[in-house]
Amino acid sequence: MNLQQLTYLVALDTHRQFGLAAEKSCVSQPALSVQVQKLEEELGVLLFDRTQRGAEPTAVGAKVIAQARLVLREAQLLRELVQVEKGEVVGELRLGVIPTLAPYLVPRFLVGLTTAYPDLRVRVEELRSEEIMQQLKEHRLDVGLLVTPLDDRQLHELPLLDEPFLVLTSETHELATKTTVRPTDLQSSGLWLMQQGHCFRNQVLNLCGPASPTGAITYESGSIETLKELVRRHHGYTLVPELAMLDEVDRNPLIKRFEAPVPVREVSLVVHHGFVRTTLLTALRDLILASVPARLHASKASQKVRWR
């Protein structure tokens, strides 16, 4: 038994197909299959049921895979401890980002990160908040970039930003005549929402109150950009985070700020409590903060809107 076999075992569990697991592991399919089979022979049990649709862990296989993930994590931790002692920012960074942050924040710091640390390999994946939290606990991600607080004792949060909510309204909606808005103004009809499962939807509903469909069209989107276009081309309004409107927030009269205290969403870097690569985390934090206006930096005085 060796770490490479355990790596193939975990890859097969993650992708549930020999071909895909081999591709992601940068090895041929026969080589991966042979190593998994050797591990099964050594342990004397069948770890996967092979079917035409792929591979599914057996009952004992699931237990072995769970332990293999722990073994691989501990082996990686040994490497990371040495890197920390050397002050190195090297290896791989697996970063999970929620979809309502990724297109507006990641491009601001990603190139700077890889330029500053050329020996660092960065893998970014867009995932919903619950998926990021689960993968951090399973050590399938190193760092999450998402909205907090999470209220999870296994995870450590490093607040970065207090991102204000903005109102984007159509020219024909009654909110277009207002200079600033209050949460009580949002009870009117015409609100376009994110679809269920997005933390931003929960925050909007916590701010506005329950919403019920009105009119002939009900459209719940998975994209902030879609919501913006719906408002621009149809009647109604939507709430957007400031990073999504940063280039036009101060010159578009149809973008409305809230009256003080301004509601914000808290954006944080999140890691497992066992995360030891503090140099990397600090470097990532500093790059992100340098990439956005200082007014968005986290403040204890802000009115944070919860999503859970």
Side-chain angles (χ1 to χ4, degrees):
M1 185 186 303
N2 56 57
L3 293 178
Q4 190 62 67
Q5 289 175 326
L6 298 183
T7 300
Y8 292 156
L9 182 71
V10 168
L12 185 54
D13 176 56
T14 299
H15 302 291
R16 302 297 172 95
Q17 292 182 352
F18 279 90
L20 183 57
E23 178 185 341
K24 296 296 184 181
S25 301
C26 299
V27 67
S28 69
Q29 181 175 333
L32 184 141
S33 299
V34 166
Q35 291 303 317
V36 171
Q37 186 175 355
K38 283 184 176 180
L39 186 58
E40 289 178 321
E41 291 172 355
E42 180 178 346
L43 295 175
V45 293
L46 188 67
L47 299 176
F48 285 93
D49 287 322
R50 281 77 163 172
T51 68
Q52 291 184 344
R53 293 180 297 178
E56 291 290 331
T58 62
V60 66
K63 295 179 181 179
V64 171
I65 291 164
Q67 189 63 37
R69 290 186 183 276
L70 292 176
V71 171
L72 291 173
R73 174 55 191 159
E74 291 300 318
Q76 179 60 29
L77 187 58
L78 289 175
R79 301 185 184 96
E80 293 173 357
L81 285 170
V82 174
Q83 292 168 4
V84 169
E85 289 299 314
K86 292 181 177 179
E88 297 175 341
V89 180
V90 297
E92 183 180 41
L93 168 63
R94 299 166 298 174
L95 177 64
V97 190
I98 57 174
T100 57
L101 268 176
Y104 312 113
L105 187 55
V106 172
R108 292 179 170 273
F109 69 84
L110 188 59
V111 173
L113 179 64
T114 55
T115 300
Y117 305 100
D119 295 326
L120 182 68
R121 303 185 308 277
V122 183
R123 178 168 64 83
V124 183
E125 188 173 1
E126 288 190 27
L127 299 164
R128 295 188 180 184
S129 297
E130 299 288 357
E131 294 173 314
I132 293 176
M133 294 169 65
Q134 186 62 36
Q135 292 197 27
L136 287 171
K137 294 175 186 178
E138 295 173 353
H139 304 291
R140 295 166 62 185
L141 288 175
D142 299 307
V143 181
L145 187 54
L146 64 163
V147 172
T148 52
L150 304 177
D151 300 321
D152 192 310
R153 293 183 178 180
Q154 295 185 55
L155 302 177
H156 171 67
E157 302 169 11
L158 180 63
L160 296 174
L161 311 175
D162 284 340
E163 187 182 12
F165 286 84
L166 304 174
V167 175
L168 176 65
T169 177
S170 64
E171 293 180 350
T172 57
H173 195 272
E174 60 192 74
L175 290 175
T177 62
K178 293 184 176 293
T179 303
T180 57
V181 296
R182 296 170 295 180
T184 53
D185 297 327
L186 305 180
Q187 302 299 322
S188 55
S189 63
L191 173 63
W192 299 100
L193 277 170
M194 297 286 290
Q195 64 189 193
Q196 292 187 11
H198 288 274
C199 62
F200 190 74
R201 172 195 172 95
N202 296 343
Q203 287 182 303
V204 169
L205 292 180
N206 286 341
L207 188 57
C208 302
S212 57
T214 58
I217 302 174
T218 299
Y219 192 120
E220 294 187 355
S221 173
S223 164
I224 289 177
E225 292 304 307
T226 302
L227 296 179
K228 289 160 62 175
E229 284 302 307
L230 285 168
V231 170
R232 287 170 177 146
R233 297 176 182 273
H234 300 276
H235 180 75
Y237 74 99
T238 191
L239 270 67
V240 292
E242 183 163 338
L243 283 173
M245 307 295 295
L246 203 55
D247 294 335
E248 55 179 309
V249 63
D250 294 322
R251 55 184 175 82
N252 186 343
L254 296 177
I255 300 173
K256 311 294 181 180
R257 291 192 179 274
F258 281 86
E259 293 182 2
V262 176
V264 301
R265 66 172 184 173
E266 181 183 75
V267 176
S268 299
L269 289 171
V270 180
V271 296
H272 191 274
H273 267 298
F275 188 80
V276 299
R277 301 166 73 185
T278 53
T279 302
L280 171 60
L281 195 63
T282 300
L284 184 57
R285 174 184 178 273
D286 291 345
L287 280 167
I288 293 174
L289 290 178
S291 72
V292 300
R295 68 175 183 272
L296 300 183
H297 294 183
S299 168
K300 295 182 180 179
S302 300
Q303 180 188 352
K304 297 174 176 60
V305 180
R306 299 181 66 90
W307 68 275
R308 303 186 82 193

